[in-house]
Amino acid sequence: MRTTRTKFYLFLASLQIAVLSSVAQQPARTLLRAGHVLDVKTGSEPAAQTIIITGDRITAIAPTASTPKQPGDVEIDLTKYTVMPGLIDVHTHLTMANNFDPYFELTMTPAKEAIIGVENAKVTLEAGFTTVRNVGASDYTDVALRDEINLGHIPGPHMQVSGPPLGITGGHMDENLLPYEYHVHGEGVADGIPAVQHQVRENIKYGADLIKIGATGGVLSKGDDPQASQYTLEEMQAIVADAHRLGRKVAAHAHGAQGILWASEAGVDSIEHGSYLNDEGIAMMKKKGTYLVPTAYLIDWMQQYGNLPPFYQQKMHDVSAVEKQNAIKAIKAGVKIALGTDAAVYPHGLNAHELDVYVNQFGMSPLAAIQSGTLNAADLMGWTDRVGTIEPGKWADIIAIEGDPLKDVKILQHVPFVMKSGVVYKNEASK
């Protein structure tokens, strides 16, 4: 009898240990107690909601009244705030500085770019942009930046990166500041179908998540014309075919109408800038489902603060005179819009000013503007399963702001609370 009783007690003890062990192994939950949660799909803003986070993912959203704190839970009080998904910028240059003096540009090194990238990644994240597409960097410094952020060594947003952008000899992506005797070319320069195919494959080899190309001339480059097409239709078709076959999307820098038309016809996923976009280009973009990334606030910033060298200045003036009116035409026609800023052309961290332009200059509703930097941007990146909304299963990328962004998107220019992948990187609410 004693032996049986002993065995029974041992069984109970082992059962208790197993239960306690199971409880101890349960990952800790974070409970975000929100005043309101913005559903960016519908525009609804239910009050008194709790977002439950386990690890780096959102696991549930429920009324706060029905979500009591459990042992081990961490509570974050955001009851005075509107909570929404982290914003997405699909056109950044985190490893570049806002300095276009030719001497500064020529003295840039991979080491300097990497250090600049670390600084700008933190600034961008703390501005509420928890995801970015980096479309152009030298020496694959953006690949290294992305990888170090992913390893948790430095703070920064989730990144998709392109590495060196592809362009023609003498074009916007080439190095045109030095004279002939130096024989210097941009890293992504490739001419002709075999060469562009090779360059796409090389960029992917060294870590590119997407391919950036120069379909036309640009503004911040010497000796080229923003209206002139650069890559041919056939070259861009070859680029897109290889990139898509290898699981990468293509972003096309394109100001001029012909380059926009050809790039869209070739099947690129987004047109960046789109300054001289015309009716034919709009029709092709709608047919192909091509996104427009307007990069509009930089015009306002440049007009107020810009100090460009003369050979950049006139091109910036010419592009600025037409870009916004053509973006408005595209929006009214139903072209898909994704938020992109070209941050580096103006200081990093001002990314949310782009939303103000979309609403108060382009005539978009606040919800549509916010969707351009959440739902649409996530769709363009192919990351709708990870970012863009507050839903179970997605990364816990969450920001909080004082007030209602559907009434005034300008409040997104100051974000007091930033969480990325369940980690709090900024919390002025606790002060």
Side-chain angles (χ1 to χ4, degrees):
M1 175 68 77
R2 185 176 298 171
T3 301
T4 303
R5 187 179 299 159
T6 301
K7 287 181 178 179
F8 177 70
Y9 288 146
L10 286 172
F11 169 74
L12 288 178
S14 63
L15 183 62
Q16 185 177 23
I17 290 170
V19 169
L20 290 172
S21 176
S22 175
V23 170
Q25 290 174 8
Q26 291 294 320
R29 302 190 311 170
T30 297
L31 307 180
L32 290 188
R33 305 296 196 185
H36 292 85
V37 176
L38 173 58
D39 182 339
V40 296
K41 290 182 178 179
T42 66
S44 65
E45 297 175 287
Q49 301 290 301
T50 290
I51 302 168
I52 303 171
I53 296 155
T54 307
D56 64 350
R57 303 279 171 166
I58 298 165
T59 50
I61 303 135
T64 297
S66 62
T67 315
K69 183 180 179 182
Q70 298 176 1
D73 286 348
V74 175
E75 283 186 302
I76 298 178
D77 183 2
L78 298 175
T79 52
K80 296 180 180 179
Y81 297 85
T82 299
V83 172
M84 60 179 284
L87 293 165
I88 305 169
D89 187 337
V90 298
H91 191 122
T92 63
H93 299 283
L94 294 187
T95 64
M96 297 182 188
N98 176 236
N99 187 335
F100 298 97
D101 177 82
Y103 180 76
F104 178 85
E105 291 188 281
L106 287 173
T107 56
M108 184 54 59
T109 66
K112 287 181 183 178
E113 277 209 22
I115 293 168
I116 288 168
V118 171
E119 178 183 359
N120 292 333
K122 182 175 185 290
V123 168
T124 301
L125 176 61
E126 291 181 352
F129 284 78
T130 53
T131 301
V132 303
R133 237 181 21 163
N134 204 78
V135 285
S138 302
D139 299 286
Y140 299 95
T141 50
D142 56 351
V143 172
L145 180 64
R146 175 202 65 198
D147 292 348
E148 289 302 297
I149 290 170
N150 288 347
L151 288 169
H153 294 163
I154 55 175
H158 302 291
M159 295 181 69
Q160 287 185 357
V161 303
S162 72
L166 277 63
I168 67 168
T169 298
H172 181 57
M173 307 305 177
D174 203 355
E175 175 52 78
N176 296 334
L177 293 173
L178 289 167
Y180 166 75
E181 59 263 30
Y182 288 92
H183 301 286
V184 174
H185 292 280
E187 295 168 82
V189 169
D191 302 303
I193 290 173
V196 297
Q197 288 177 317
H198 172 80
Q199 192 62 48
V200 167
R201 296 168 189 179
E202 182 164 282
N203 275 31
I204 292 172
K205 173 183 177 181
Y206 292 114
D209 301 301
L210 73 148
I211 301 299
K212 167 76 175 297
I213 67 172
T216 73
V219 174
L220 299 173
S221 48
K222 185 180 178 183
D224 60 335
D225 179 357
Q227 293 199 58
S229 59
Q230 294 197 345
Y231 273 131
T232 65
L233 172 60
E234 292 76 19
E235 286 171 319
M236 288 191 283
Q237 286 172 329
I239 289 168
V240 171
D242 258 28
H244 284 180
R245 181 173 52 79
L246 295 170
R248 302 318 195 267
K249 295 194 175 190
V250 181
H253 160 101
H255 287 286
Q258 184 68 75
I260 293 169
L261 179 65
W262 280 352
S264 302
E265 184 178 349
V268 303
D269 299 280
S270 61
I271 296 293
E272 315 293 310
H273 316 302
S275 303
Y276 295 92
L277 179 61
N278 60 17
D279 291 342
E280 190 178 9
I282 287 172
M284 183 61 72
M285 290 180 73
K286 289 186 68 178
K287 177 182 177 181
K288 293 285 190 174
T290 314
Y291 272 95
L292 173 64
V293 181
T295 65
Y297 174 67
L298 70 87
I299 294 172
D300 297 342
W301 190 90
M302 275 291 173
Q303 288 173 345
Q304 187 170 1
Y305 304 108
N307 183 27
L308 294 173
F311 52 89
Y312 297 156
Q313 187 72 50
Q314 186 59 49
K315 291 196 287 183
M316 179 62 74
H317 174 77
D318 294 342
V319 164
S320 299
V322 299
E323 183 172 334
K324 287 184 180 178
Q325 65 192 42
N326 290 328
I328 292 169
K329 185 187 295 186
I331 291 166
K332 289 181 177 178
V335 172
K336 296 188 294 185
I337 305 296
L339 185 151
T341 64
D342 216 358
V345 175
Y346 62 87
H348 297 271
L350 302 182
N351 312 60
H353 287 256
E354 188 79 11
L355 292 164
D356 182 32
V357 176
Y358 294 175
V359 173
N360 294 309
Q361 296 183 41
F362 290 177
M364 294 173 69
S365 70
L367 180 60
I370 290 169
Q371 287 172 337
S372 77
T374 52
L375 294 174
N376 295 5
D379 180 55
L380 173 56
M381 294 178 72
W383 276 9
T384 54
D385 60 332
R386 308 176 196 187
V387 296
T389 59
I390 294 178
E391 292 182 286
K394 294 192 177 183
W395 282 328
D397 295 351
I398 295 166
I399 64 174
I401 60 271
E402 293 185 83
D404 185 352
L406 298 185
K407 293 178 180 176
D408 183 8
V409 293
K410 289 182 181 180
I411 66 172
L412 288 164
Q413 294 170 17
H414 176 71
V415 176
F417 176 89
V418 179
M419 170 184 278
K420 190 199 88 172
S421 293
V423 177
V424 176
Y425 287 91
K426 182 180 182 182
N427 189 4
E428 295 177 2
S430 64
K431 294 180 181 178

